Amino acid sequence: MIGVVVMLNNYLHDVASALLLCSAVVMMVMLKYVRDKKIDEPVEFFTGLYNRLSVIALASVVWIILGGIVRTLAYRTYEWSDAAGRAQIPALVGKHVFFLILLTVGVYYWLRLRREIMALTRK
């Protein structure tokens, strides 16, 4: 059981690190956009940010898929812990279910945001 908790901690640590980096990147993109454009109109500002950040979101999804393939193929060699044995399999399944939910919710919200942007720009 301790091995499972330690593994889960490692994954959550990675997520926290990614969130810290992503939030900083988003803020820097927003800052650069504000400095470059000097826009007073909120709709134009928001749609411009959406265009820039959607590229980052798409790149993230591609990286999640391609990096996941590489990590899966190399898992047994580089990450498998003999000390945890088969107990790590339920933790891995749980982790992947959790991240699949996060990915699905993220894609859902990006698609919803896209519909909102399209509605805003039609007005």
Side-chain angles (χ1 to χ4, degrees), residues 81-99:
S81 170
D82 290 329
R86 295 254 173 238
Q88 61 193 315
I89 294 174
L92 288 170
V93 170
K95 177 199 76 137
H96 282 89
V97 168
F98 175 71
F99 281 111

Side-chain angles (χ1 to χ4, degrees), residues 9 29 31 55 59 76 94-95 120:
N9 176 67
V29 168
L31 178 62
V55 172
R76 194 90 169 151
K95 177 199 76 137
L120 278 173

